[in-house]
Amino acid sequence: MNFAVKDHSQRSLLEISLTFNPELLRDFFFRRQGIWKYVYFMLADSALLLLFCAKQIVLPHYFPEIPCYAAVLLLAYLSSRRPLAWALLLAVAGGILLDSGNFLPLGPSSLLLCLPVYLVFLQSRRSGQQKHSVLLSMQQCLCATSIFVLLNLLFLAGNMSWTARLALLPRQLLLGVLVNAVFAGPLLFALLDGIERLLFGPTAGKARGT
């Protein structure tokens, strides 16, 4: 299909040529590896974000002695497997969910989540061929959880004294890193990677944008 803009002398000022490949278009719109793959990722990411934000809000009421950063771990996974713009958008949405679930002003948690997401994304870009290793998963979870905890103690602790904030560090940071970054995080990464490979095969990572 050709389009042309011509002057009064019928000389072409601008020519545009469009070529359609029916076979590729058919594959893109009707095969499992086509557009439906991206629709699945968007719907699955959104549903998981809602679930993990709910877990991060609810679990501390039942297990107050165990710090739970389920939403942070999920966002660490998504920021290492998805395009940065999509991961940041999910971080903003996740922050709004956390703020609303904890009856806080909307917005602060979104800003706090965007920094770990960006740093984990940079880690995954620099990792090269080791981006799926267990060690890297632990490093990414460690980065996300530690930064999230420190930023919360600095900016979202309200009128709490600095002495009380420092007193929370051993449980919120040390125990939180042990539980989330060493145990829960790598298991979550492996589980979600396994589900994607099961549904889309070994080429699933090509749709992640990393």
Side-chain angles (χ1 to χ4, degrees), residues 42 49 75 83-96 110 114 117:
M42 293 178 62
L49 181 66
L75 288 171
L84 178 60
W86 176 242
L88 290 174
L89 180 62
L90 291 175
V92 172
I96 293 175
S110 297
C114 285
V117 162

Side-chain angles (χ1 to χ4, degrees), residues 73-95:
L73 295 179
L74 177 66
L75 288 171
Y77 173 83
L78 296 177
S79 58
S80 66
R81 304 298 197 271
R82 304 289 189 263
L84 178 60
W86 176 242
L88 290 174
L89 180 62
L90 291 175
V92 172

Side-chain angles (χ1 to χ4, degrees), residues 120-168:
V120 171
F121 175 80
L122 292 180
Q123 281 184 305
S124 65
R125 291 291 296 271
R126 295 174 180 173
S127 62
Q129 298 299 323
Q130 302 299 321
K131 65 179 180 179
H132 299 301
S133 68
V134 176
L135 180 59
L136 181 62
S137 299
M138 294 176 63
Q139 292 174 350
Q140 291 170 339
C141 294
L142 173 63
C143 173
T145 54
S146 58
I147 291 176
F148 180 77
V149 170
L150 291 174
L151 291 178
N152 265 279
L153 290 177
L154 284 174
F155 300 108
L156 296 184
N159 296 324
M160 186 180 298
S161 65
W162 287 103
T163 304
R165 300 185 194 198
L166 291 175
L168 288 175

Side-chain angles (χ1 to χ4, degrees), residues 10-182:
Q10 297 302 310
R11 293 177 299 182
S12 295
L13 301 176
L14 176 66
E15 293 184 357
I16 300 175
S17 178
L18 298 178
T19 302
F20 295 94
N21 190 319
E23 184 175 347
L24 292 179
L25 288 174
R26 183 176 63 250
D27 290 344
F28 180 71
F29 283 104
F30 297 103
R31 290 188 61 186
R32 187 178 62 174
Q33 295 291 336
I35 191 174
W36 300 109
K37 183 176 184 177
Y38 298 94
V39 172
Y40 159 78
F41 281 130
M42 293 178 62
L43 295 178
D45 292 348
S46 301
L48 286 174
L49 181 66
L50 182 62
L51 173 63
F52 277 67
C53 285
K55 288 179 62 178
Q56 185 162 326
I57 294 170
V58 173
L59 286 181
H61 296 286
Y62 296 94
F63 305 99
E65 67 279 0
I66 302 178
C68 174
Y69 311 124
V72 179
L73 295 179
L74 177 66
L75 288 171
Y77 173 83
L78 296 177
S79 58
S80 66
R81 304 298 197 271
R82 304 289 189 263
L84 178 60
W86 176 242
L88 290 174
L89 180 62
L90 291 175
V92 172
I96 293 175
L97 290 174
L98 292 178
D99 287 336
S100 59
N102 290 311
F103 304 99
L104 299 173
L106 300 183
S109 294
S110 297
L111 297 177
L112 267 57
L113 287 172
C114 285
L115 179 58
V117 162
Y118 181 68
L119 293 178
V120 171
F121 175 80
L122 292 180
Q123 281 184 305
S124 65
R125 291 291 296 271
R126 295 174 180 173
S127 62
Q129 298 299 323
Q130 302 299 321
K131 65 179 180 179
H132 299 301
S133 68
V134 176
L135 180 59
L136 181 62
S137 299
M138 294 176 63
Q139 292 174 350
Q140 291 170 339
C141 294
L142 173 63
C143 173
T145 54
S146 58
I147 291 176
F148 180 77
V149 170
L150 291 174
L151 291 178
N152 265 279
L153 290 177
L154 284 174
F155 300 108
L156 296 184
N159 296 324
M160 186 180 298
S161 65
W162 287 103
T163 304
R165 300 185 194 198
L166 291 175
L168 288 175
L169 278 178
R171 184 172 67 88
Q172 293 294 328
L173 186 58
L174 299 181
L175 180 60
V177 166
L178 180 65
V179 172
N180 294 272
V182 178

